[in-house]
Amino acid sequence: MVSASITRMNSRRGGCGLAIRTASLVALTLMASSAGAQDNGRTLIRAKHIYTVDGGTISPGEVLVKDGKIGFVGEAIELGLPAKVVEVDTLIPGLVNAMSSAGLSGGSAELSREVTPEFNTLSAIDWYSREFAEALDEGVTTLQVLPATESVFSGFACLVKTAGAVDARVLNAENGIVLAVSSDPTSRNRSRSRPDSIYVRQPTNRMGVVWIVRNALHQVSQGDSVLAVDPKTKSILSDLVAGKHPVLSVSRTDFDIRSALDLGDDFGFKPIIYGGDEVYRMLDEFQQRGGQIVFTALTTAASPRGLRGREGTELRWNVPGKLHEMGIDFCLAGRSLLDQARFAVRFGLAPDVALSAVTHAPAKLLRMDDRIGSITVGKDADLVALSGDPLQPTAAIRWTMVSGKIYGNSESK
Amino acid sequence: MSVFQLPVRAARAHSLRRRCSSPADRRKADLRDLVQAKKRISRMPSSAVALAALCWIGLCGPLGAAGPLAIQGAKIITNSGQILEEGTVLIRDGKIAALGSHVDVPGEAKVINAAGKVVMPGFVDAHNSAGMSQPNERNEVVPFLSVIDSIDPVASYFEECRRNGITTAAVVPGNSTLIGGQAAIVKTAGQYVNDMILRREAGLKLSLRPTSGSRMSQMARLRKELDKAKTALEKDEESGSGTDGEDDDNDSDKDGESDGDGDGSDQKSDDADQSKSDAGESGTGVADDGLDAMKQAVQGKLPVYIYCQTAMDVSAALKLVDDYGLKPILVLGQECHKAAKLLAERGETVILDPTLVYWKTDPRTRKDRKIILPKIYGDAGVPYVFQTADSASRTTLGSSYFWFQAATAVKYGMSQADALAALTLGPAQLLGVDSMIGSIEVGKDADLVILTGEPLDISTWVEYTIVDGEVVYDRSQDEKLDRLLSPTAE
């Protein structure tokens, strides 16, 4: 039955290409004027190319969206009920940015304490921040928002959509605990200021950072603590040690990455490395230890902090290519995500891997691949329509769909 | 001057290469040197100087003359309205000697087999300050300064240029000095600044962004300086002394060297060169106060690069252009897009800010808006060319690359042909050097890039960069690139 309908479709396409083009224009216009009315309706997207990411490429193909979910993906569908029809050139899954600080205005690090795992970025998000609009405009549909890394245990990261009703945007309020195994927490502390200053305290160096992690986890694992730890903090850290929370370790240099893995070995958790600029220096070791990485060093605009922060990390272009070669679980993250995927291709990563590295791969690392990251029946209808090959810099984003709703894009002409 | 029209063999020796093989404009550099020679020979008639120069060239010419170079089998995008799907470019004496599908390649020619590759004219950066050290002067009015004295041939900027296919760059004083000095147009390869020069006095830099005080005082000071030049010019005309470019300040050397006027503007600015170097060598210890440069600017002979920070600066700049008869090259800050309509009426080609796309929040409504400069100027019908982000804001991705700027413009509606022209012929025309560079045409400088594929494709790299017929970048020999692309522990 499916094949019959394909034949019909094809003959129709061949017959009136111009008509379809006109129709697509009309559809776009309609879409723009009635974007709000789609939430409960059905949308049929006809694309010349559908990059499903986990199920190959369909050219041409159709995607049926109903109730904010993907109802059908294939070459053609026999429509039972009517649906709004939208024609596009290329369709890819919504992008997933695993490392963002979107919506966190006015600082998101607790400066008076170093161990604050009970903090949660969700409580500080400005849902109307421009950063969400920018992310949506870049084709990003899901963001993991991390607290800033000036505290050693910085708090919980949350996973949110870039658009939609606020309560529906939260995918996971506690998506993992952020640990700063890097020199970030030392940035405000110093040993030589006035003795009564709150800045006279640990850590003032990397050793201090690692010690604080060890000390906190040691106290928790010992049961009763010599130093008082807040009961809430203690229960969260106990859960962390018991493997109930993913650990997101923000580490950029090779020695910081190694420290994070060592801490994980000692206390029985498996950190996912965030940042990882210098992972190329220890690829064999990283692979052998089963490391996973959210790589943010491809853009100097990576957030939080840049590629060349105080750590003066060396610039390397084809780290993603190497990570893939070694079979290491990785994804790309940070700003300009689609451009990152494009440049990763330029620097040597295979195109299909690059596209996955900004969609399916981050979804998996965020343990949310049952809902997002690919164009698969049953997943959220988070989609990006483009004017051409998504990995070419000349391709413009036409619109972004989040949970079935289409948002127009500034890139459409 | 006609002796220079004689075909001369290009000398490979660096310092002579350009002198011997260059037409019209580059002669200015030659003349400057000739003038120095002339000083040595004391007051010899100019024809004799030219003769002496010819002998000199004749002597030096045969020293390792560069052999012909042929690039075969490539797709050639000439940017002069022609795309050869498979053609040959023959280079001789640093110039493009032949171009076509069937070109006889001499046996002695070195051949680059470029089958499957794309050949384009070298890219032209119309405005940058990265090739010089300390682009801004603390004094606010320094028209007598020249970037020539500050260009660093081994600056990483030039290396990046060659790596990215930029063969010519206008090195211009920074955006933070009222009258910042004189720009120069240089090729991006060479060890000595003098080897790199395509045009020595390429324009005067003005900045309308106040660095101290208000916009009112900024504008008043600028007008005062321009008025001074205008008055001096009027005085020249009244007294009938000196010709256009001749400066009454250079009283030390009034030997009638400016008799050669009437040969066109090139000749006139040559005179200015002469008078300048004369002043420099006169031994009076009086530094050139830049008045002659200012005079040329108000005569519309010397272009003025005008940096506009905001839209109000654009209208102010256009007013200045009208009031003083300036020949402007407008360098626009991000917010100048609000004057797009005004610019469209003037038809001036503008140089866009390196950040082509950015976000703004309306201060009153808090509405977020994405500003897309290529789209705004494109829709308004303002012709534009690009700059790249300089070293301070260099990024791994995006706006640090010329091709990426063009790709961005295409993404927002520019045609590919227009975008490629905006990297090459567009800036060459804007700078007034399109008779020498900017397209692949017989007789033009052999400044070429050989690309691995289509110019705006994400996977395309510069394979070779050729400046004046010499390969100045070869990707297979680029160790830095190799290091970046093959990250390993060391």
Side-chain angles (χ1 to χ4, degrees):
Chain A
M1 187 176 111
V2 172
S3 67
S5 60
I6 294 167
T7 323
R8 204 177 57 232
M9 295 283 305
N10 285 346
S11 64
R12 193 148 43 103
R13 285 243 163 81
C16 50
L18 189 70
I20 282 176
R21 191 172 283 185
T22 319
S24 81
L25 267 177
V26 172
L28 273 169
T29 321
L30 276 175
M31 180 193 78
S33 60
S34 62
Q38 286 177 350
D39 292 33
N40 305 316
R42 291 149 50 96
T43 309
L44 179 69
I45 305 161
R46 293 199 178 117
K48 288 186 192 139
H49 310 281
I50 298 173
Y51 293 79
T52 65
V53 177
D54 67 347
T57 304
I58 307 168
S59 304
E62 296 185 346
V63 172
L64 181 70
V65 174
K66 47 182 183 185
D67 304 326
K69 298 276 178 187
I70 295 168
F72 170 87
V73 185
E75 289 175 323
I77 183 173
E78 197 92 44
L79 274 180
L81 294 163
K84 171 193 284 297
V85 177
V86 178
E87 306 245 357
V88 299
D89 186 279
T90 302
L91 202 63
I92 63 170
L95 309 185
V96 179
N97 181 2
M99 191 170 188
S100 165
S101 58
L104 298 178
S105 53
S108 58
E110 182 51 51
L111 299 181
S112 63
R113 279 166 62 198
E114 299 301 341
V115 182
T116 59
E118 66 273 29
F119 286 22
N120 192 323
T121 47
L122 196 59
S123 58
I125 286 183
D126 169 8
W127 296 102
Y128 300 96
S129 160
R130 189 169 90 192
E131 289 157 298
F132 287 114
E134 291 184 26
L136 185 66
D137 198 78
E138 286 177 2
V140 175
T141 53
T142 306
L143 286 168
Q144 180 170 249
V145 183
L146 275 68
T149 47
E150 273 89 357
S151 306
V152 178
F153 284 89
S154 316
F156 276 104
C158 65
L159 193 64
V160 301
K161 294 279 182 86
T162 50
V166 169
D167 51 352
R169 279 169 71 172
V170 181
L171 283 170
N172 189 3
E174 296 184 349
N175 210 47
I177 294 174
V178 174
L179 192 57
V181 183
S182 55
S183 56
D184 298 9
T186 69
S187 60
R188 285 189 175 85
N189 301 349
R190 58 195 75 87
S191 54
R192 286 193 190 83
S193 55
R194 283 176 48 159
D196 57 347
S197 161
I198 64 157
Y199 298 115
V200 179
R201 62 194 174 109
Q202 284 187 315
T204 58
N205 59 33
R206 279 190 66 261
M207 292 180 283
V209 173
V210 174
W211 184 84
I212 284 172
V213 179
R214 283 189 184 282
N215 188 42
L217 295 180
H218 183 72
Q219 284 183 42
V220 168
S221 57
Q222 289 302 301
D224 50 12
S225 52
V226 185
L227 296 166
V229 173
D230 187 275
K232 175 69 176 164
T233 307
K234 195 169 166 183
S235 82
I236 291 170
L237 291 183
S238 303
D239 286 351
L240 184 155
V241 172
K244 287 181 191 165
H245 296 297
V247 178
L248 286 49
S249 176
V250 177
S251 306
R252 302 181 192 89
T253 64
D254 57 331
F255 46 87
D256 282 336
I257 295 168
R258 202 169 279 119
S259 294
L261 295 177
D262 289 347
L263 286 167
D265 286 350
D266 291 355
F267 291 97
F269 63 88
K270 193 166 172 286
I272 298 176
I273 303 300
Y274 279 64
D277 303 37
E278 288 186 358
V279 69
Y280 69 90
R281 285 189 167 154
M282 50 175 296
L283 284 172
D284 287 332
E285 182 189 343
F286 196 73
Q287 181 214 36
Q288 279 155 23
R289 299 178 75 170
Q292 295 177 307
I293 184 165
V294 171
F295 187 74
T296 64
L298 207 57
T299 166
T300 46
S303 182
R305 290 179 177 267
L307 175 64
R308 293 177 177 279
R310 292 173 305 114
E311 285 163 343
T313 305
E314 279 186 67
L315 181 64
R316 284 295 189 276
W317 282 348
N318 193 26
V319 179
K322 286 283 168 189
L323 290 168
H324 176 63
E325 232 172 74
M326 302 288 292
I328 294 167
D329 272 353
F330 81 100
C331 72
L332 300 173
R335 282 176 187 276
S336 309
L337 203 52
L338 192 53
D339 276 344
Q340 283 198 48
R342 290 164 174 166
F343 274 81
V345 171
R346 177 172 179 78
F347 299 151
L349 191 64
D352 55 331
V353 182
L355 196 57
S356 176
V358 293
T359 53
H360 192 52
K364 270 202 305 197
L365 285 171
L366 298 171
R367 305 175 193 210
M368 202 51 72
D369 52 318
D370 57 332
R371 274 192 70 178
I372 56 170
S374 65
I375 304 181
T376 308
V377 172
K379 287 198 184 182
D380 290 8
D382 294 351
L383 304 167
V384 180
L386 294 118
S387 65
D389 182 345
L391 295 171
Q392 287 300 340
T394 46
I397 294 177
R398 294 293 183 227
W399 47 256
T400 307
M401 176 184 272
V402 183
S403 306
K405 185 174 171 183
I406 287 176
Y407 297 87
N409 196 279
S410 62
E411 290 187 5
S412 50
K413 288 162 197 164
Chain B
M1 283 307 104
S2 61
V3 287
F4 280 91
Q5 311 298 348
L6 293 172
V8 284
R9 281 233 162 269
R12 200 188 176 96
H14 260 303
S15 58
L16 292 167
R17 170 160 48 97
R18 217 152 272 145
R19 266 173 209 148
C20 301
S21 59
S22 52
D25 278 69
R26 225 181 273 159
R27 268 184 256 139
K28 288 207 284 180
D30 304 342
L31 263 167
R32 189 163 185 155
D33 294 311
L34 289 182
V35 167
Q36 285 168 10
K38 193 184 77 176
K39 298 278 288 185
R40 286 194 290 274
I41 315 167
S42 84
R43 312 228 187 280
M44 200 184 272
S46 60
S47 58
V49 174
L51 196 63
L54 185 65
C55 298
W56 182 26
I57 289 160
L59 282 171
C60 302
L63 280 176
L69 172 68
I71 302 162
Q72 285 186 318
K75 175 176 172 180
I76 301 170
I77 302 174
T78 65
N79 262 11
S80 51
Q82 207 185 353
I83 293 178
L84 295 173
E85 282 306 327
E86 200 182 319
T88 299
V89 184
L90 181 66
I91 298 163
R92 206 192 282 274
D93 301 336
K95 303 279 168 199
I96 295 160
L99 167 75
S101 310
H102 305 284
V103 172
D104 288 331
V105 176
E108 76 271 23
K110 192 186 154 211
V111 173
I112 295 177
N113 180 2
K117 308 232 151 75
V118 174
V119 175
M120 276 191 68
F123 303 150
V124 181
D125 194 349
H127 179 266
N128 84 84
S129 302
M132 63 191 290
S133 64
Q134 295 168 300
N136 285 297
E137 176 57 41
R138 281 180 203 194
N139 297 318
E140 291 188 318
V141 180
V142 287
F144 46 87
L145 296 184
S146 167
V147 295
I148 299 277
D149 298 319
S150 198
I151 287 176
D152 178 7
V154 295
S156 64
Y157 168 76
F158 290 116
E159 185 188 320
E160 286 295 324
C161 278
R162 297 190 293 272
R163 184 172 286 126
N164 292 303
I166 296 172
T167 53
T168 303
V171 182
V172 187
N175 293 338
S176 303
T177 312
L178 178 57
I179 301 178
Q182 297 188 48
I185 302 170
V186 298
K187 297 288 178 86
T188 55
Q191 188 74 59
Y192 296 103
V193 175
N194 281 324
D195 298 341
M196 300 163 71
I197 293 168
L198 180 63
R199 178 166 288 168
R200 186 173 286 269
E201 280 156 7
L204 200 59
K205 178 67 178 278
L206 311 179
S207 175
L208 301 189
R209 172 171 69 186
T211 44
S212 63
S214 68
R215 274 201 158 72
M216 289 182 286
S217 71
Q218 179 92 346
M219 195 52 75
R221 271 174 295 179
L222 185 53
R223 283 187 177 272
K224 189 177 141 200
E225 294 300 324
L226 290 166
D227 285 337
K228 217 158 76 181
K230 227 175 159 179
T231 311
L233 260 182
E234 282 160 11
K235 224 167 77 186
D236 289 353
E237 276 164 28
E238 276 170 29
S239 64
S241 76
T243 51
D244 292 334
E246 195 56 58
D247 190 349
D248 53 359
D249 281 4
N250 298 310
D251 44 26
S252 60
D253 201 350
K254 292 269 178 199
D255 55 5
E257 64 187 60
S258 55
D259 288 346
D261 56 356
D263 278 10
S265 59
D266 275 344
Q267 178 56 42
K268 281 166 193 162
S269 40
D270 288 345
D271 290 339
D273 270 39
Q274 289 177 34
S275 59
K276 256 196 98 171
S277 47
D278 286 354
E281 290 199 353
S282 62
T284 58
V286 179
D288 177 4
D289 64 359
L291 190 62
D292 59 338
M294 293 294 288
K295 285 201 286 193
Q296 285 186 58
V298 296
Q299 284 176 301
K301 287 178 182 163
L302 187 65
V304 282
Y305 288 84
I306 309 178
Y307 175 70
C308 303
Q309 185 188 15
T310 67
M312 67 174 286
D313 293 340
V314 172
S315 47
L318 294 174
K319 185 81 171 50
L320 282 178
V321 167
D322 291 343
D323 289 354
Y324 294 95
L326 305 176
K327 187 177 157 196
I329 297 175
L330 297 170
V331 185
L332 303 185
Q334 292 180 346
E335 288 299 285
C336 293
H337 69 83
K338 288 169 185 163
K341 214 174 143 189
L342 186 62
L343 287 162
E345 288 163 14
R346 306 288 288 232
E348 300 280 358
T349 300
V350 300
I351 303 174
L352 298 190
D353 188 89
T355 307
L356 294 176
V357 179
Y358 61 96
W359 284 76
K360 266 297 229 209
T361 301
D362 187 282
R364 180 134 173 106
T365 64
R366 308 302 298 168
K367 177 156 176 55
D368 303 321
R369 195 159 79 96
K370 191 178 180 181
I371 311 292
I372 303 163
L373 298 183
K375 188 166 159 56
I376 293 170
Y377 289 106
D379 289 351
V382 180
Y384 58 84
V385 300
F386 308 103
Q387 302 182 69
T388 52
D390 65 12
S391 45
S393 49
R394 178 161 287 282
T395 55
T396 317
L397 318 179
S399 60
S400 286
Y401 304 102
F402 233 36
W403 64 268
F404 187 86
Q405 303 288 66
T408 303
V410 169
K411 175 158 122 181
Y412 294 113
M414 197 183 220
S415 76
Q416 166 136 338
D418 286 351
L420 296 183
L423 299 179
T424 53
L425 197 57
Q429 283 166 342
L430 180 63
L431 299 176
V433 289
D434 53 309
S435 62
M436 294 175 281
I437 59 162
S439 61
I440 304 180
E441 286 176 81
V442 173
K444 282 199 179 183
D445 290 3
D447 293 353
L448 305 168
V449 276
I450 304 180
L451 304 168
T452 57
E454 286 298 324
L456 303 181
D457 189 284
I458 191 78
S459 299
T460 292
W461 293 86
V462 171
E463 189 91 26
Y464 295 100
T465 302
I466 295 169
V467 172
D468 289 326
E470 278 185 44
V471 175
V472 297
Y473 174 79
D474 177 350
R475 189 166 76 119
S476 67
Q477 308 294 317
D478 188 349
E479 283 171 20
K480 278 194 195 174
L481 190 64
D482 200 42
R483 234 172 101 82
L484 287 166
L485 293 178
S486 317
T488 46
E490 281 152 13

